[in-house]
Amino acid sequence: KVKDNWFPKFQGQQPDPSRWAVVSFDLDDSGVIASPGLERRSGDRIYDSSCLRAVARTRRVPPPPADAPRRFHIRFSPEDKE
């Protein structure tokens, strides 16, 4: 669901497949996303911002099971949108 809200942007004209980012965030019991942050930067600040925006746009996902972790990490790579 998060990557459905991802519209990657790049500083240069061509995406560089070797650049990727990881965004981490917390989920509450109802599935609301909180505290998104870059865990790994790609080296392209525009690209990194597009990854963070994808998580912010999502806002909510289905509630996790009671015993599931509450901290998540999503890897964003240009190849994900090909």
Side-chain angles (χ1 to χ4, degrees), residues 15-72:
D16 180 352
S18 68
R19 292 195 171 189
W20 51 277
V22 174
V23 175
S24 58
F25 58 91
D26 297 318
L27 278 186
D28 71 9
D29 292 341
S30 64
V32 173
I33 292 174
S35 306
L38 281 167
E39 189 168 294
R40 182 192 189 277
R41 295 179 186 273
S42 70
D44 181 332
R45 65 181 178 78
I46 294 172
Y47 180 77
D48 292 346
S49 293
S50 75
C51 299
L52 276 170
R53 274 193 307 275
V55 174
R57 278 187 190 118
T58 304
R59 295 185 191 157
R60 180 185 290 256
V61 295
D67 59 345
R70 293 294 188 262
R71 185 82 177 153
F72 293 85

